[in-house]
Tab-separated table of all heavy atoms in Angstrom:
chain	number	residue	atom	x	y	z
A	281	MET	N	-0.733	-9.036	-51.981
A	281	MET	CA	-0.979	-8.313	-50.709
A	281	MET	C	-0.307	-6.958	-50.762
A	281	MET	O	0.886	-6.987	-51.240
A	281	MET	CB	-0.555	-9.164	-49.459
A	281	MET	CG	-1.361	-10.237	-49.125
A	281	MET	SD	-0.928	-11.031	-47.666
A	281	MET	CE	0.651	-11.720	-48.159
A	282	GLU	N	-0.885	-5.990	-50.204
A	282	GLU	CA	-0.305	-4.690	-50.249
A	282	GLU	C	0.046	-4.297	-48.760
A	282	GLU	O	-0.805	-4.670	-47.888
A	282	GLU	CB	-1.231	-3.726	-50.877
A	282	GLU	CG	-2.655	-3.750	-50.163
A	282	GLU	CD	-3.591	-2.793	-50.847
A	282	GLU	OE1	-3.324	-2.372	-52.022
A	282	GLU	OE2	-4.606	-2.459	-50.250
A	283	SER	N	1.166	-3.606	-48.602
A	283	SER	CA	1.572	-3.077	-47.276
A	283	SER	C	1.375	-4.100	-46.174
A	283	SER	O	0.753	-3.803	-45.156
A	283	SER	CB	0.923	-1.849	-47.056
A	283	SER	OG	-0.562	-2.030	-46.771
A	284	SER	N	1.819	-5.321	-46.327
A	284	SER	CA	1.746	-6.377	-45.429
A	284	SER	C	2.817	-6.227	-44.180
A	284	SER	O	3.875	-5.731	-44.504
A	284	SER	CB	1.945	-7.743	-45.899
A	284	SER	OG	1.046	-7.848	-47.008
A	285	GLU	N	2.312	-6.522	-43.045
A	285	GLU	CA	3.334	-6.442	-41.892
A	285	GLU	C	3.215	-7.722	-41.180
A	285	GLU	O	2.266	-8.047	-40.525
A	285	GLU	CB	3.007	-5.214	-40.961
A	285	GLU	CG	3.218	-3.930	-41.608
A	285	GLU	CD	3.621	-2.846	-40.610
A	285	GLU	OE1	3.737	-3.299	-39.517
A	285	GLU	OE2	3.625	-1.685	-40.923
A	286	PHE	N	4.302	-8.501	-41.235
A	286	PHE	CA	4.307	-9.891	-40.645
A	286	PHE	C	5.683	-9.776	-39.735
A	286	PHE	O	6.624	-9.285	-40.091
A	286	PHE	CB	4.512	-10.905	-41.657
A	286	PHE	CG	3.270	-11.300	-42.368
A	286	PHE	CD1	2.523	-10.404	-43.230
A	286	PHE	CD2	2.691	-12.612	-42.141
A	286	PHE	CE1	1.254	-10.874	-43.700
A	286	PHE	CE2	1.582	-13.044	-42.779
A	286	PHE	CZ	0.896	-12.216	-43.565
A	287	THR	N	5.437	-10.478	-38.682
A	287	THR	CA	6.552	-10.586	-37.857
A	287	THR	C	7.488	-11.683	-38.573
A	287	THR	O	7.107	-12.400	-39.464
A	287	THR	CB	6.240	-11.286	-36.391
A	287	THR	OG1	5.672	-12.564	-36.686
A	287	THR	CG2	5.329	-10.281	-35.686
A	288	PRO	N	8.822	-11.716	-38.353
A	288	PRO	CA	9.706	-12.595	-39.025
A	288	PRO	C	9.240	-14.081	-38.952
A	288	PRO	O	9.222	-14.776	-39.939
A	288	PRO	CB	11.080	-12.422	-38.311
A	288	PRO	CG	11.005	-11.011	-37.720
A	288	PRO	CD	9.592	-10.799	-37.315
A	289	GLN	N	8.876	-14.529	-37.727
A	289	GLN	CA	8.419	-15.950	-37.641
A	289	GLN	C	7.174	-16.107	-38.464
A	289	GLN	O	7.066	-17.157	-39.119
A	289	GLN	CB	8.199	-16.245	-36.166
A	289	GLN	CG	9.290	-16.078	-35.265
A	289	GLN	CD	9.286	-14.868	-34.482
A	289	GLN	OE1	8.974	-13.747	-35.007
A	289	GLN	NE2	9.500	-14.859	-33.166
A	290	ALA	N	6.141	-15.186	-38.294
A	290	ALA	CA	4.932	-15.381	-39.066
A	290	ALA	C	5.248	-15.344	-40.574
A	290	ALA	O	4.602	-16.059	-41.397
A	290	ALA	CB	4.004	-14.333	-38.729
A	291	ALA	N	6.031	-14.476	-40.934
A	291	ALA	CA	6.359	-14.355	-42.446
A	291	ALA	C	7.017	-15.688	-42.943
A	291	ALA	O	6.658	-16.124	-44.034
A	291	ALA	CB	7.382	-13.140	-42.657
A	292	ARG	N	7.845	-16.280	-42.084
A	292	ARG	CA	8.399	-17.555	-42.557
A	292	ARG	C	7.298	-18.704	-42.669
A	292	ARG	O	7.255	-19.356	-43.653
A	292	ARG	CB	9.396	-18.041	-41.483
A	292	ARG	CG	10.485	-19.048	-42.071
A	292	ARG	CD	11.505	-19.528	-41.095
A	292	ARG	NE	12.024	-18.331	-40.307
A	292	ARG	CZ	12.156	-18.131	-39.001
A	292	ARG	NH1	11.540	-18.994	-38.297
A	292	ARG	NH2	12.620	-17.112	-38.517
A	293	ARG	N	6.491	-18.767	-41.665
A	293	ARG	CA	5.520	-19.879	-41.715
A	293	ARG	C	4.489	-19.451	-42.750
A	293	ARG	O	3.994	-20.400	-43.540
A	293	ARG	CB	4.782	-19.804	-40.433
A	293	ARG	CG	5.628	-20.289	-39.283
A	293	ARG	CD	5.878	-21.817	-39.271
A	293	ARG	NE	4.667	-22.627	-39.280
A	293	ARG	CZ	4.133	-22.919	-38.199
A	293	ARG	NH1	4.620	-22.688	-36.996
A	293	ARG	NH2	2.943	-23.552	-38.142
A	294	TRP	N	4.163	-18.305	-43.037
A	294	TRP	CA	3.322	-17.814	-44.062
A	294	TRP	C	3.859	-18.245	-45.519
A	294	TRP	O	3.137	-18.867	-46.319
A	294	TRP	CB	2.976	-16.269	-43.891
A	294	TRP	CG	2.091	-15.827	-44.942
A	294	TRP	CD1	2.239	-14.862	-45.918
A	294	TRP	CD2	0.676	-16.127	-45.123
A	294	TRP	NE1	1.168	-14.581	-46.558
A	294	TRP	CE2	0.068	-15.394	-46.115
A	294	TRP	CE3	-0.263	-17.075	-44.405
A	294	TRP	CZ2	-1.346	-15.470	-46.422
A	294	TRP	CZ3	-1.577	-17.084	-44.781
A	294	TRP	CH2	-2.049	-16.322	-45.807
A	295	ALA	N	5.132	-18.002	-45.607
A	295	ALA	CA	5.738	-18.345	-46.903
A	295	ALA	C	5.821	-19.794	-47.178
A	295	ALA	O	5.599	-20.246	-48.360
A	295	ALA	CB	7.188	-17.675	-46.978
A	296	GLU	N	5.897	-20.567	-46.190
A	296	GLU	CA	5.938	-21.998	-46.302
A	296	GLU	C	4.576	-22.544	-46.819
A	296	GLU	O	4.530	-23.697	-47.329
A	296	GLU	CB	6.254	-22.658	-44.971
A	296	GLU	CG	7.731	-22.503	-44.495
A	296	GLU	CD	7.952	-22.984	-43.048
A	296	GLU	OE1	7.107	-23.535	-42.441
A	296	GLU	OE2	9.122	-22.855	-42.722
A	297	LEU	N	3.544	-21.935	-46.661
A	297	LEU	CA	2.258	-22.314	-47.071
A	297	LEU	C	2.203	-22.366	-48.558
A	297	LEU	O	1.409	-23.131	-49.109
A	297	LEU	CB	1.194	-21.466	-46.452
A	297	LEU	CG	0.892	-21.521	-44.944
A	297	LEU	CD1	-0.051	-20.502	-44.549
A	297	LEU	CD2	0.305	-22.957	-44.577
A	298	GLY	N	2.822	-21.380	-49.094
A	298	GLY	CA	2.736	-21.377	-50.586
A	298	GLY	C	1.692	-20.408	-51.029
A	298	GLY	O	0.591	-20.155	-50.458
A	299	GLY	N	1.860	-19.950	-52.176
A	299	GLY	CA	0.868	-18.888	-52.818
A	299	GLY	C	-0.648	-19.440	-52.881
A	299	GLY	O	-1.545	-18.636	-52.622
A	300	ARG	N	-0.825	-20.640	-53.368
A	300	ARG	CA	-2.160	-21.168	-53.441
A	300	ARG	C	-2.846	-21.196	-52.206
A	300	ARG	O	-3.924	-20.735	-52.095
A	300	ARG	CB	-2.012	-22.593	-54.188
A	300	ARG	CG	-3.363	-23.162	-54.490
A	300	ARG	CD	-3.363	-24.600	-54.924
A	300	ARG	NE	-2.611	-24.622	-56.207
A	300	ARG	CZ	-3.250	-24.799	-57.365
A	300	ARG	NH1	-4.525	-24.991	-57.440
A	300	ARG	NH2	-2.513	-24.802	-58.499
A	301	SER	N	-2.266	-21.706	-51.143
A	301	SER	CA	-2.844	-21.796	-49.759
A	301	SER	C	-3.087	-20.348	-49.211
A	301	SER	O	-4.154	-20.073	-48.678
A	301	SER	CB	-2.061	-22.661	-48.810
A	301	SER	OG	-1.937	-23.867	-49.326
A	302	GLN	N	-2.167	-19.430	-49.478
A	302	GLN	CA	-2.289	-18.164	-49.063
A	302	GLN	C	-3.441	-17.565	-49.637
A	302	GLN	O	-4.298	-16.775	-48.900
A	302	GLN	CB	-0.951	-17.326	-49.358
A	302	GLN	CG	0.263	-17.677	-48.677
A	302	GLN	CD	1.483	-16.981	-49.210
A	302	GLN	OE1	1.330	-16.249	-50.089
A	302	GLN	NE2	2.535	-17.275	-48.617
A	303	THR	N	-3.686	-17.639	-50.880
A	303	THR	CA	-4.826	-17.024	-51.611
A	303	THR	C	-6.209	-17.527	-51.006
A	303	THR	O	-7.085	-16.767	-50.837
A	303	THR	CB	-4.753	-17.231	-53.041
A	303	THR	OG1	-3.556	-16.762	-53.708
A	303	THR	CG2	-5.922	-16.499	-53.851
A	304	LEU	N	-6.226	-18.932	-50.889
A	304	LEU	CA	-7.399	-19.578	-50.349
A	304	LEU	C	-7.779	-18.962	-48.886
A	304	LEU	O	-8.911	-18.602	-48.692
A	304	LEU	CB	-7.275	-21.001	-50.262
A	304	LEU	CG	-7.386	-21.858	-51.514
A	304	LEU	CD1	-7.015	-23.240	-51.332
A	304	LEU	CD2	-8.856	-21.798	-51.994
A	305	LEU	N	-6.776	-18.768	-48.206
A	305	LEU	CA	-6.951	-18.303	-46.733
A	305	LEU	C	-7.278	-16.919	-46.674
A	305	LEU	O	-8.313	-16.578	-45.985
A	305	LEU	CB	-5.605	-18.473	-46.014
A	305	LEU	CG	-5.256	-19.998	-45.636
A	305	LEU	CD1	-3.760	-20.073	-45.146
A	305	LEU	CD2	-6.106	-20.494	-44.540
A	306	LEU	N	-6.744	-15.969	-47.554
A	306	LEU	CA	-7.068	-14.616	-47.592
A	306	LEU	C	-8.431	-14.339	-48.090
A	306	LEU	O	-9.089	-13.436	-47.818
A	306	LEU	CB	-6.056	-13.862	-48.394
A	306	LEU	CG	-4.508	-13.869	-47.910
A	306	LEU	CD1	-3.707	-13.222	-48.846
A	306	LEU	CD2	-4.496	-13.061	-46.598
A	307	ASN	N	-9.006	-15.296	-49.037
A	307	ASN	CA	-10.228	-15.109	-49.599
A	307	ASN	C	-11.366	-15.861	-48.932
A	307	ASN	O	-12.531	-15.780	-49.344
A	307	ASN	CB	-10.105	-15.607	-51.097
A	307	ASN	CG	-9.335	-14.585	-51.958
A	307	ASN	OD1	-9.116	-13.522	-51.583
A	307	ASN	ND2	-8.809	-15.339	-53.037
A	308	ASN	N	-11.065	-16.475	-47.744
A	308	ASN	CA	-12.053	-17.265	-47.017
A	308	ASN	C	-12.002	-16.690	-45.486
A	308	ASN	O	-11.760	-17.587	-44.627
A	308	ASN	CB	-11.855	-18.644	-47.121
A	308	ASN	CG	-12.302	-19.097	-48.524
A	308	ASN	OD1	-13.421	-19.352	-48.786
A	308	ASN	ND2	-11.274	-19.305	-49.339
A	309	VAL	N	-12.242	-15.515	-45.199
A	309	VAL	CA	-12.294	-14.988	-43.976
A	309	VAL	C	-13.592	-14.567	-43.546
A	309	VAL	O	-14.344	-13.856	-44.340
A	309	VAL	CB	-11.377	-13.750	-43.818
A	309	VAL	CG1	-11.321	-13.162	-42.333
A	309	VAL	CG2	-9.877	-14.226	-44.165
A	310	TRP	N	-14.121	-14.861	-42.373
A	310	TRP	CA	-15.517	-14.678	-42.063
A	310	TRP	C	-15.628	-13.165	-41.519
A	310	TRP	O	-14.824	-12.822	-40.720
A	310	TRP	CB	-16.034	-15.617	-40.918
A	310	TRP	CG	-17.383	-15.341	-40.573
A	310	TRP	CD1	-17.899	-14.607	-39.443
A	310	TRP	CD2	-18.488	-15.683	-41.282
A	310	TRP	NE1	-19.350	-14.611	-39.480
A	310	TRP	CE2	-19.692	-15.240	-40.743
A	310	TRP	CE3	-18.734	-16.389	-42.548
A	310	TRP	CZ2	-20.993	-15.434	-41.111
A	310	TRP	CZ3	-20.002	-16.547	-43.073
A	310	TRP	CH2	-21.150	-16.161	-42.341
A	311	CYS	N	-16.497	-12.398	-42.121
A	311	CYS	CA	-16.708	-11.007	-41.583
A	311	CYS	C	-18.164	-10.972	-40.910
A	311	CYS	O	-19.193	-11.352	-41.451
A	311	CYS	CB	-16.820	-10.144	-42.815
A	311	CYS	SG	-17.206	-8.348	-42.246
A	312	VAL	N	-18.106	-10.661	-39.697
A	312	VAL	CA	-19.309	-10.642	-38.888
A	312	VAL	C	-20.322	-9.486	-39.366
A	312	VAL	O	-21.512	-9.709	-39.363
A	312	VAL	CB	-18.848	-10.445	-37.290
A	312	VAL	CG1	-20.131	-10.174	-36.418
A	312	VAL	CG2	-18.132	-11.495	-36.722
A	313	THR	N	-19.673	-8.437	-39.776
A	313	THR	CA	-20.586	-7.371	-40.202
A	313	THR	C	-21.248	-7.674	-41.468
A	313	THR	O	-22.435	-7.354	-41.627
A	313	THR	CB	-19.514	-6.054	-40.379
A	313	THR	OG1	-18.884	-5.730	-39.205
A	313	THR	CG2	-20.391	-4.851	-40.718
A	314	CYS	N	-20.503	-8.252	-42.404
A	314	CYS	CA	-21.205	-8.666	-43.632
A	314	CYS	C	-22.050	-9.907	-43.433
A	314	CYS	O	-22.905	-10.191	-44.347
A	314	CYS	CB	-20.224	-8.825	-44.729
A	314	CYS	SG	-19.173	-7.410	-45.289
A	315	GLY	N	-21.697	-10.657	-42.456
A	315	GLY	CA	-22.492	-11.990	-42.246
A	315	GLY	C	-22.011	-13.064	-43.437
A	315	GLY	O	-22.905	-13.872	-43.646
A	316	LYS	N	-20.948	-12.790	-43.942
A	316	LYS	CA	-20.495	-13.808	-44.955
A	316	LYS	C	-18.977	-13.873	-45.041
A	316	LYS	O	-18.312	-12.993	-44.529
A	316	LYS	CB	-21.184	-13.632	-46.301
A	316	LYS	CG	-20.991	-12.315	-46.837
A	316	LYS	CD	-21.886	-12.267	-48.182
A	316	LYS	CE	-21.999	-10.764	-48.621
A	316	LYS	NZ	-22.894	-10.688	-49.833
A	317	THR	N	-18.478	-14.742	-45.872
A	317	THR	CA	-17.063	-14.881	-46.160
A	317	THR	C	-16.644	-13.793	-47.055
A	317	THR	O	-17.279	-13.229	-47.928
A	317	THR	CB	-16.729	-16.256	-46.851
A	317	THR	OG1	-17.390	-17.246	-46.091
A	317	THR	CG2	-15.323	-16.529	-47.057
A	318	THR	N	-15.426	-13.193	-46.620
A	318	THR	CA	-14.893	-12.087	-47.313
A	318	THR	C	-13.433	-12.345	-47.662
A	318	THR	O	-12.849	-13.294	-47.342
A	318	THR	CB	-15.163	-10.780	-46.603
A	318	THR	OG1	-14.782	-9.704	-47.420
A	318	THR	CG2	-14.390	-10.809	-45.348
A	319	THR	N	-12.807	-11.331	-48.261
A	319	THR	CA	-11.358	-11.123	-48.523
A	319	THR	C	-10.771	-10.276	-47.451
A	319	THR	O	-11.298	-9.120	-47.323
A	319	THR	CB	-11.037	-10.706	-49.913
A	319	THR	OG1	-11.603	-11.817	-50.775
A	319	THR	CG2	-9.526	-10.670	-50.146
A	320	ILE	N	-9.728	-10.698	-46.853
A	320	ILE	CA	-9.000	-9.932	-45.869
A	320	ILE	C	-7.971	-9.024	-46.619
A	320	ILE	O	-7.313	-9.531	-47.494
A	320	ILE	CB	-8.434	-10.662	-44.743
A	320	ILE	CG1	-7.880	-9.835	-43.653
A	320	ILE	CG2	-7.388	-11.613	-45.315
A	320	ILE	CD1	-7.445	-10.524	-42.354
A	321	VAL	N	-7.943	-7.676	-46.322
A	321	VAL	CA	-6.971	-6.901	-46.885
A	321	VAL	C	-6.178	-6.091	-45.869
A	321	VAL	O	-6.534	-6.074	-44.632
A	321	VAL	CB	-7.587	-5.834	-47.916
A	321	VAL	CG1	-8.150	-6.612	-49.157
A	321	VAL	CG2	-8.589	-5.018	-47.178
A	322	ARG	N	-5.081	-5.583	-46.161
A	322	ARG	CA	-4.185	-4.792	-45.270
A	322	ARG	C	-3.817	-5.799	-44.135
A	322	ARG	O	-4.095	-5.433	-42.961
A	322	ARG	CB	-4.840	-3.581	-44.796
A	322	ARG	CG	-5.115	-2.646	-45.948
A	322	ARG	CD	-5.246	-1.143	-45.487
A	322	ARG	NE	-6.233	-0.944	-44.404
A	322	ARG	CZ	-7.517	-0.780	-44.519
A	322	ARG	NH1	-7.951	-0.860	-45.775
A	322	ARG	NH2	-8.389	-0.624	-43.606
A	323	VAL	N	-3.243	-6.891	-44.470
A	323	VAL	CA	-3.048	-7.979	-43.551
A	323	VAL	C	-1.791	-7.865	-42.727
A	323	VAL	O	-0.763	-7.517	-43.403
A	323	VAL	CB	-3.069	-9.331	-44.259
A	323	VAL	CG1	-2.833	-10.500	-43.340
A	323	VAL	CG2	-4.287	-9.624	-45.157
A	324	SER	N	-1.911	-8.152	-41.521
A	324	SER	CA	-0.636	-8.210	-40.632
A	324	SER	C	-0.673	-9.632	-40.098
A	324	SER	O	-1.715	-10.289	-39.921
A	324	SER	CB	-0.615	-7.159	-39.565
A	324	SER	OG	-1.708	-7.476	-38.631
A	325	GLY	N	0.384	-10.183	-39.759
A	325	GLY	CA	0.543	-11.567	-39.290
A	325	GLY	C	1.522	-11.740	-38.054
A	325	GLY	O	2.584	-11.027	-38.092
A	326	ARG	N	1.161	-12.521	-37.193
A	326	ARG	CA	2.044	-12.833	-36.091
A	326	ARG	C	1.770	-14.245	-35.610
A	326	ARG	O	0.751	-14.790	-35.901
A	326	ARG	CB	1.732	-11.919	-34.890
A	326	ARG	CG	0.244	-11.815	-34.280
A	326	ARG	CD	0.025	-10.720	-33.272
A	326	ARG	NE	-1.434	-10.601	-33.127
A	326	ARG	CZ	-2.159	-11.446	-32.243
A	326	ARG	NH1	-1.515	-12.461	-31.637
A	326	ARG	NH2	-3.417	-11.227	-32.154
A	327	MET	N	2.709	-14.736	-34.874
A	327	MET	CA	2.526	-16.043	-34.308
A	327	MET	C	1.933	-15.996	-32.903
A	327	MET	O	2.228	-15.099	-32.131
A	327	MET	CB	4.027	-16.797	-34.167
A	327	MET	CG	4.630	-17.032	-35.590
A	327	MET	SD	3.674	-17.948	-36.817
A	327	MET	CE	3.557	-19.494	-35.919
A	328	GLU	N	1.047	-17.017	-32.659
A	328	GLU	CA	0.488	-17.286	-31.456
A	328	GLU	C	0.696	-18.851	-31.170
A	328	GLU	O	-0.103	-19.532	-31.604
A	328	GLU	CB	-0.942	-16.758	-31.271
A	328	GLU	CG	-1.333	-16.390	-29.868
A	328	GLU	CD	-2.641	-15.564	-29.904
A	328	GLU	OE1	-3.752	-16.153	-30.015
A	328	GLU	OE2	-2.545	-14.318	-29.962
A	329	ARG	N	1.616	-19.106	-30.364
A	329	ARG	CA	2.021	-20.493	-30.319
A	329	ARG	C	2.389	-21.091	-31.576
A	329	ARG	O	3.169	-20.484	-32.277
A	329	ARG	CB	0.785	-21.315	-29.559
A	329	ARG	CG	0.489	-20.906	-28.168
A	329	ARG	CD	-0.841	-21.636	-27.688
A	329	ARG	NE	-1.120	-21.336	-26.212
A	329	ARG	CZ	-0.623	-21.984	-25.230
A	329	ARG	NH1	0.068	-23.168	-25.367
A	329	ARG	NH2	-0.903	-21.661	-23.935
A	330	ASP	N	1.664	-22.027	-32.053
A	330	ASP	CA	1.957	-22.627	-33.368
A	330	ASP	C	1.147	-22.104	-34.458
A	330	ASP	O	1.228	-22.462	-35.687
A	330	ASP	CB	1.869	-24.185	-33.370
A	330	ASP	CG	3.182	-24.716	-32.788
A	330	ASP	OD1	4.219	-24.058	-32.882
A	330	ASP	OD2	3.172	-25.906	-32.523
A	331	ASP	N	0.291	-21.151	-34.101
A	331	ASP	CA	-0.739	-20.676	-35.088
A	331	ASP	C	-0.239	-19.273	-35.692
A	331	ASP	O	0.312	-18.498	-34.941
A	331	ASP	CB	-2.103	-20.521	-34.495
A	331	ASP	CG	-2.604	-21.754	-33.865
A	331	ASP	OD1	-2.172	-22.944	-34.374
A	331	ASP	OD2	-3.438	-21.733	-32.951
A	332	ILE	N	-0.607	-19.126	-37.018
A	332	ILE	CA	-0.435	-17.759	-37.497
A	332	ILE	C	-1.742	-17.055	-37.369
A	332	ILE	O	-2.904	-17.535	-37.686
A	332	ILE	CB	-0.141	-17.837	-39.024
A	332	ILE	CG1	1.013	-18.765	-39.209
A	332	ILE	CG2	0.235	-16.405	-39.575
A	332	ILE	CD1	1.201	-19.081	-40.852
A	333	VAL	N	-1.620	-15.867	-36.680
A	333	VAL	CA	-2.853	-15.122	-36.568
A	333	VAL	C	-2.806	-13.848	-37.639
A	333	VAL	O	-1.891	-13.123	-37.657
A	333	VAL	CB	-2.868	-14.409	-35.120
A	333	VAL	CG1	-4.188	-13.501	-34.937
A	333	VAL	CG2	-2.890	-15.578	-34.127
A	334	LEU	N	-3.794	-13.907	-38.502
A	334	LEU	CA	-3.821	-12.900	-39.608
A	334	LEU	C	-4.765	-11.944	-39.071
A	334	LEU	O	-6.003	-12.156	-38.794
A	334	LEU	CB	-4.230	-13.503	-40.880
A	334	LEU	CG	-3.286	-14.651	-41.421
A	334	LEU	CD1	-3.976	-15.213	-42.749
A	334	LEU	CD2	-1.997	-14.003	-41.795
A	335	GLU	N	-4.478	-10.623	-39.162
A	335	GLU	CA	-5.396	-9.619	-38.823
A	335	GLU	C	-5.427	-8.478	-39.991
A	335	GLU	O	-4.416	-8.272	-40.439
A	335	GLU	CB	-5.056	-8.847	-37.631
A	335	GLU	CG	-5.238	-9.952	-36.320
A	335	GLU	CD	-4.779	-9.184	-35.048
A	335	GLU	OE1	-3.835	-8.486	-35.105
A	335	GLU	OE2	-5.499	-9.480	-34.005
A	336	GLY	N	-6.671	-8.092	-40.300
A	336	GLY	CA	-6.762	-6.998	-41.374
A	336	GLY	C	-8.189	-6.546	-41.394
A	336	GLY	O	-8.839	-6.423	-40.351
A	337	CYS	N	-8.512	-6.082	-42.624
A	337	CYS	CA	-9.836	-5.458	-42.743
A	337	CYS	C	-10.682	-6.134	-43.858
A	337	CYS	O	-10.098	-6.796	-44.861
A	337	CYS	CB	-9.664	-4.016	-43.177
A	337	CYS	SG	-8.859	-3.055	-41.821
A	338	CYS	N	-11.859	-6.184	-43.779
A	338	CYS	CA	-12.856	-6.777	-44.767
A	338	CYS	C	-12.737	-5.807	-45.970
A	338	CYS	O	-12.851	-4.666	-45.906
A	338	CYS	CB	-14.238	-6.772	-44.117
A	338	CYS	SG	-15.532	-7.288	-45.416
A	339	ILE	N	-12.577	-6.528	-47.215
A	339	ILE	CA	-12.547	-5.887	-48.467
A	339	ILE	C	-13.831	-5.111	-48.760
A	339	ILE	O	-13.769	-4.021	-49.486
A	339	ILE	CB	-12.147	-6.694	-49.641
A	339	ILE	CG1	-11.596	-5.922	-50.742
A	339	ILE	CG2	-13.246	-7.627	-49.924
A	339	ILE	CD1	-10.918	-6.828	-51.813
A	340	ARG	N	-14.980	-5.543	-48.311
A	340	ARG	CA	-16.244	-4.873	-48.551
A	340	ARG	C	-16.417	-3.708	-47.538
A	340	ARG	O	-16.967	-2.739	-48.133
A	340	ARG	CB	-17.375	-5.869	-48.328
A	340	ARG	CG	-17.540	-6.873	-49.505
A	340	ARG	CD	-18.857	-7.587	-49.470
A	340	ARG	NE	-18.700	-8.932	-50.055
A	340	ARG	CZ	-18.400	-10.018	-49.446
A	340	ARG	NH1	-18.272	-10.028	-48.169
A	340	ARG	NH2	-18.442	-11.159	-50.096
A	341	CYS	N	-16.421	-3.966	-46.219
A	341	CYS	CA	-17.045	-3.001	-45.380
A	341	CYS	C	-15.926	-2.422	-44.522
A	341	CYS	O	-16.234	-1.483	-43.751
A	341	CYS	CB	-18.063	-3.638	-44.442
A	341	CYS	SG	-17.413	-4.776	-43.289
A	342	ASP	N	-14.743	-2.888	-44.672
A	342	ASP	CA	-13.514	-2.236	-43.929
A	342	ASP	C	-13.577	-2.607	-42.493
A	342	ASP	O	-12.729	-1.984	-41.696
A	342	ASP	CB	-13.443	-0.701	-44.153
A	342	ASP	CG	-12.058	-0.290	-44.203
A	342	ASP	OD1	-11.241	-1.104	-44.691
A	342	ASP	OD2	-11.731	0.788	-43.869
A	343	SER	N	-14.476	-3.394	-42.076
A	343	SER	CA	-14.478	-3.796	-40.597
A	343	SER	C	-13.223	-4.690	-40.325
A	343	SER	O	-12.700	-5.375	-41.194
A	343	SER	CB	-15.660	-4.639	-40.290
A	343	SER	OG	-16.777	-3.894	-40.336
A	344	PRO	N	-12.813	-4.686	-39.056
A	344	PRO	CA	-11.641	-5.551	-38.794
A	344	PRO	C	-11.939	-7.002	-38.774
A	344	PRO	O	-13.037	-7.320	-38.291
A	344	PRO	CB	-11.181	-5.174	-37.351
A	344	PRO	CG	-12.172	-4.028	-36.957
A	344	PRO	CD	-13.193	-3.747	-37.881
A	345	VAL	N	-11.271	-7.734	-39.407
A	345	VAL	CA	-11.449	-9.274	-39.499
A	345	VAL	C	-10.124	-9.914	-39.166
A	345	VAL	O	-9.099	-9.377	-39.180
A	345	VAL	CB	-11.934	-9.611	-40.723
A	345	VAL	CG1	-13.325	-9.172	-41.075
A	345	VAL	CG2	-11.014	-9.425	-41.903
A	346	ALA	N	-10.278	-11.261	-38.694
A	346	ALA	CA	-9.020	-11.907	-38.296
A	346	ALA	C	-9.289	-13.378	-38.686
A	346	ALA	O	-10.310	-13.836	-38.828
A	346	ALA	CB	-8.711	-11.797	-36.923
A	347	ARG	N	-8.171	-14.068	-38.903
A	347	ARG	CA	-8.199	-15.519	-39.288
A	347	ARG	C	-6.941	-16.165	-38.563
A	347	ARG	O	-5.816	-15.663	-38.739
A	347	ARG	CB	-8.116	-15.634	-40.763
A	347	ARG	CG	-7.814	-17.048	-41.213
A	347	ARG	CD	-8.808	-17.616	-42.148
A	347	ARG	NE	-8.716	-19.003	-42.180
A	347	ARG	CZ	-9.396	-19.810	-42.941
A	347	ARG	NH1	-10.152	-19.307	-43.914
A	347	ARG	NH2	-9.261	-21.139	-42.864
A	348	VAL	N	-7.233	-17.233	-38.023
A	348	VAL	CA	-6.132	-18.046	-37.391
A	348	VAL	C	-5.734	-19.170	-38.356
A	348	VAL	O	-6.621	-19.910	-38.810
A	348	VAL	CB	-6.458	-18.633	-35.990
A	348	VAL	CG1	-5.420	-19.571	-35.453
A	348	VAL	CG2	-6.768	-17.507	-35.154
A	349	VAL	N	-4.549	-19.332	-38.688
A	349	VAL	CA	-3.991	-20.507	-39.383
A	349	VAL	C	-3.324	-21.428	-38.497
A	349	VAL	O	-2.328	-21.255	-38.011
A	349	VAL	CB	-3.056	-19.966	-40.644
A	349	VAL	CG1	-2.668	-21.221	-41.461
A	349	VAL	CG2	-3.733	-18.989	-41.433
A	350	GLU	N	-4.105	-22.558	-38.270
A	350	GLU	CA	-3.515	-23.454	-37.310
A	350	GLU	C	-2.198	-24.149	-37.717
A	350	GLU	O	-2.121	-24.528	-38.814
A	350	GLU	CB	-4.536	-24.488	-36.852
A	350	GLU	CG	-5.700	-23.913	-36.188
A	350	GLU	CD	-6.801	-24.830	-35.733
A	350	GLU	OE1	-6.492	-26.154	-36.038
A	350	GLU	OE2	-7.837	-24.453	-35.228
A	351	GLY	N	-1.236	-24.142	-36.784
A	351	GLY	CA	0.027	-24.861	-37.153
A	351	GLY	C	-0.092	-26.309	-36.955
A	351	GLY	O	-1.096	-26.858	-36.406
A	352	SER	N	0.831	-27.078	-37.429
A	352	SER	CA	0.725	-28.531	-37.298
A	352	SER	C	1.153	-29.052	-35.937
A	352	SER	O	1.917	-28.339	-35.244
A	352	SER	CB	1.610	-29.180	-38.451
A	352	SER	OG	2.892	-28.504	-38.295
B	674	LIG	ZN1	-17.360	-7.079	-44.047
C-alpha cells in the first residue's frame, strides 16, 4: 500500500488481520462504476464501532470505493 492513512485504532486492527487477509480484502472491493470487483488503492482506514472502514479509489477507473471489514 502506498500513502496509507489509518487512524491509530484502525491501523492496529488492520495490522492484526495479517498480510494475507489484508491483500484479499484490498483486492476484493466492489466498484459500482466498473460493475465488478476491483482493487482499492490510496486507502485510508478508520474505525466505525467495531468495523474497519476502508476508503480509497478503484485501481481501474479511480472512482471512490469503500469496504467495511466487520469486527468480531
Ligand atoms: Zn472502477
